[in-house]
Amino acid sequence: MAKTLAVSPLAPAAFPDLPVIGGVRFAAAAAGVRYAGRTDVMLAMLDPGSTVAGVFTRSATRSAPVLDCQDKIGHDSAEGAAIIVNSGNSNAFTGRNGIEATRAVIHAVAVATGLPEERVFSSSTGVIGEPLPHERITAKVDQLVGALDETGIAGAARAIMTTDTFPKGAMATVDLPGGQVKIAGIAKGSGMIAPDMATMLVYVFTDARIARADLQAMVSDINARSFNCITVDSDTSTSDTLLMGATGASGVTVTAADTAFTTALEAVFLDLAHQVVRDGEGATKFVTVEVTGAASDADARTHALSIANSPLVKTAIAGEDPNWGRVVMAVGKSGAAADRDLLTIRFGDVLVAEKGWVSPDYREEDGAALMRQPEITIHVDLGLGQGKATVWTCDLTHGYISINADYRS
């Protein structure tokens, strides 16, 4: 049986009441992929006419399911679609066995649902380097198909958890000239979080009617400002996948130019991304890093990630130590343009340093009081240009070591 982790102190009060998305149904089951008695497989079934888009990790060691999804994602089809996900085993770094396991799972779902294999998308998350016991999953496929229910998304969110301490969900409704559309999404992620092109595992659904090319444009664009701007530990997963399905059940057509819809979708993406950070392994602080005044947006992002990924910065935050010198260090090492004598640093609304020196008005007790808060903002202005970026991270505590030191046991 898997160890039970204490729920993150930064967790939401409860899983949200997600709306039913017409045209998609969910089911979950306990297949014993790694742990007995734990719900660990979920199936989502989308009606014919649905479009699917996605983004994926750019890791050079990405898993067999990721590679399979990448091969399929760019094709149009009037068929329905299915997404099957297992937790407990990532099916990554498993050689030919990984390919064969992926094919076996996809084939079983295709047979049970009547879909072509090209419309079955799979994901796996968990331990790397161990063969996936795919027969445990395929043995549950008929049960999953028989249990499909439009209200089953909460169970699906729990089935995809690994070291997560709470299931993650977010939603939005949007009133458009053609009528109301709904968005609902679930995610998993807690450690090995530093997305590169994609996310952890994220599945978002809407009842809007959206052409695949428009859906892909939305997903790629919004992902860059949400999931690709979070980091827990600087480690990019082999399995990062974001899939989004648009069923069209509402009858309302949406394009990439519909700003009301894209704004709502971005809010859902950001909500889920922030929940992943709030569930960072061992996290006790939610940290926003804002960088302004950089030579370019790209430089700002480089500086922000350097700060957010610094073990010294993250442990200072865990210890509630306003050690601004570590922020200076992280800016200096990032490789992006910086001028020591133009640097300004704030912790929340506390001005800590300006013009390359500690502010004469700064009081250590003010910085320490700010660091005791559960949510902290670090703001750095480079004084060089108009570039800006925001990323989100968490602190680094002994809990992270405890969780990961015995992850496979």
Side-chain angles (χ1 to χ4, degrees), residues 30-409:
V33 173
R34 185 168 183 83
Y35 304 109
R38 172 170 166 170
T39 304
D40 55 4
V41 180
M42 82 87 164
L43 177 67
M45 184 79 175
L46 289 82
D47 284 354
S50 298
T51 54
V52 181
V55 285
F56 308 92
T57 181
R58 293 191 296 193
S59 166
T61 54
R62 53 195 180 276
S63 68
V66 169
L67 292 170
D68 183 73
C69 282
Q70 285 181 301
D71 286 342
K72 296 173 176 176
I73 201 67
H75 302 292
D76 289 309
S77 173
E79 298 277 359
I83 300 170
I84 186 160
V85 186
N86 75 268
S87 60
N89 184 307
S90 72
N91 196 16
F93 200 62
T94 47
R96 179 167 294 280
N97 176 274
I99 297 171
E100 293 173 351
T102 300
R103 289 174 178 168
V105 171
I106 288 168
H107 178 72
V109 173
V111 170
T113 61
L115 290 171
E117 293 187 6
E118 292 73 22
R119 293 294 283 175
V120 179
F121 302 89
S122 73
S123 302
S124 297
T125 181
V127 173
I128 294 171
E130 295 183 4
L132 177 68
H134 58 83
E135 68 284 351
R136 300 179 189 176
I137 301 171
T138 56
K140 294 290 182 176
V141 168
D142 286 340
Q143 175 185 327
L144 287 164
V145 172
L148 286 166
D149 189 298
E150 63 181 7
T151 66
I153 192 169
R158 290 177 177 85
I160 63 177
M161 293 167 56
T162 51
T163 57
D164 304 59
T165 68
F166 62 89
K168 300 162 183 66
M171 56 80 65
T173 58
V174 192
D175 291 316
L176 299 172
Q180 186 180 82
V181 299
K182 300 173 183 176
I183 305 168
I186 58 174
K188 67 81 54 181
S190 186
M192 201 181 288
I193 303 296
D196 179 17
M197 186 62 181
T199 63
M200 295 49 56
L201 293 184
V202 181
Y203 307 96
V204 180
F205 306 92
T206 180
D207 58 5
R209 180 186 294 120
I210 310 174
R212 186 190 58 78
D214 276 349
L215 186 63
Q216 185 63 59
M218 293 178 198
V219 168
S220 296
D221 181 51
I222 297 172
N223 170 71
R225 297 191 299 274
S226 55
F227 292 108
N228 251 17
C229 290
I230 64 172
T231 178
V232 167
D233 47 22
S234 82
D235 288 331
T236 296
S237 172
T238 59
S239 306
D240 291 341
T241 296
L242 186 161
L243 291 173
M244 181 170 177
T247 68
S250 68
V252 180
T253 298
V254 169
T255 72
D258 285 313
T259 56
F261 181 85
T262 56
T263 298
L265 184 60
E266 183 158 354
V268 170
F269 275 34
L270 278 171
D271 190 342
L272 291 171
H274 289 180
Q275 287 186 57
V276 170
V277 173
R278 291 178 182 278
D279 203 15
E281 290 170 340
T284 65
K285 310 283 188 182
F286 179 81
V287 184
T288 301
V289 181
E290 298 176 345
V291 173
T292 58
S296 65
D297 288 350
D299 273 12
R301 175 181 167 83
T302 297
H303 285 303
L305 286 172
S306 182
I307 296 165
N309 283 326
S310 167
L312 288 176
V313 171
K314 291 160 75 73
T315 50
I317 294 169
E320 300 180 343
D321 176 13
N323 192 337
W324 52 271
R326 295 183 178 181
V327 177
V328 174
M329 173 279 300
V331 169
K333 74 166 186 174
S334 78
D339 185 329
R340 177 198 63 194
D341 297 331
L342 298 177
L343 209 60
T344 298
I345 300 171
R346 287 183 171 83
F347 292 156
D349 57 2
V350 177
L351 177 63
V352 177
E354 58 183 340
K355 298 178 181 178
W357 191 248
V358 64
S359 169
D361 298 324
Y362 175 65
R363 298 292 179 267
E364 185 78 359
E365 57 267 28
D366 295 337
L370 189 283
M371 285 293 168
R372 287 194 288 272
Q373 302 300 311
E375 301 194 13
I376 297 165
T377 298
I378 299 173
H379 186 135
V380 174
D381 189 273
L382 278 298
L384 297 176
Q386 302 302 311
K388 60 183 179 179
T390 302
V391 304
W392 297 273
T393 190
C394 57
D395 55 343
L396 179 60
T397 71
H398 195 278
Y400 182 88
I401 299 170
S402 298
I403 291 167
N404 284 285
D406 63 358
Y407 175 58
R408 297 195 301 163
S409 59

